[in-house]
Amino acid sequence: MEMNRERFEELVGDALDEVPEELLRLMSNVVILVEDDPPRGDPHLLGLYEGHALTSRGWDYSGVLPDRIFIYRRPILRICDSDEDVVDEVAVTVVHEIAHHFGIDDERLHALGWG
């Protein structure tokens, strides 16, 4: 599947627009970034959350750089056959990584159908 970066970034924005406003307001000190490729050694990774989940932040959480959510363009495009597939996979990946920001682990996400 081919898609330019600009269109892919629009889809990430569209996926964020679908997240309930109440949840977006609760997100704190986090940025969402689109990268073409994941880190070396994990070419199939679609997204990644790096940081301190809200549930693990204590009284001493201050002065830290923002958490980062990465959405990886090329791996998502490799597993998709159509624009509709990309829209769906981007939405799932965005929700999945935001859930990590809220402290929800992979096991629970898979059980909820967001794996």
Side-chain angles (χ1 to χ4, degrees):
M1 175 76 209
E2 294 290 324
M3 180 179 291
N4 67 38
R5 185 180 177 97
E6 182 178 326
R7 173 69 178 132
F8 189 87
E9 288 176 352
E10 286 175 13
L11 295 180
V12 171
D14 292 347
L16 286 169
D17 289 343
E18 295 300 316
V19 175
E21 186 64 33
E22 302 81 40
L23 290 179
L24 290 176
R25 278 195 302 260
L26 294 172
M27 292 175 66
S28 174
N29 199 30
V30 60
V31 296
I32 298 173
L33 305 164
V34 172
E35 295 286 339
D36 284 334
D37 297 300
R40 282 192 164 155
D42 205 350
H44 305 292
L45 190 64
L46 306 181
L48 180 67
Y49 172 74
E50 287 184 342
H52 304 277
L54 293 175
T55 55
S56 67
R57 295 178 184 179
W59 63 270
D60 58 345
Y61 179 83
S62 66
V64 299
L65 293 173
D67 294 359
R68 299 183 300 176
I69 291 175
F70 295 98
I71 308 299
Y72 298 115
R73 186 176 70 91
R74 287 188 182 124
I76 289 175
L77 295 178
R78 274 196 297 271
I79 66 167
C80 294
D81 295 320
S82 68
D83 281 353
E84 185 176 293
D85 289 347
V86 177
V87 169
D88 292 343
E89 191 56 54
V90 165
V92 168
T93 303
V94 166
V95 168
H96 183 105
E97 300 310 327
I98 287 174
H100 287 319
H101 179 67
F102 286 99
I104 302 171
D105 65 18
D106 281 331
E107 184 177 325
R108 180 69 177 137
L109 283 167
H110 285 276
L112 294 171
W114 291 97

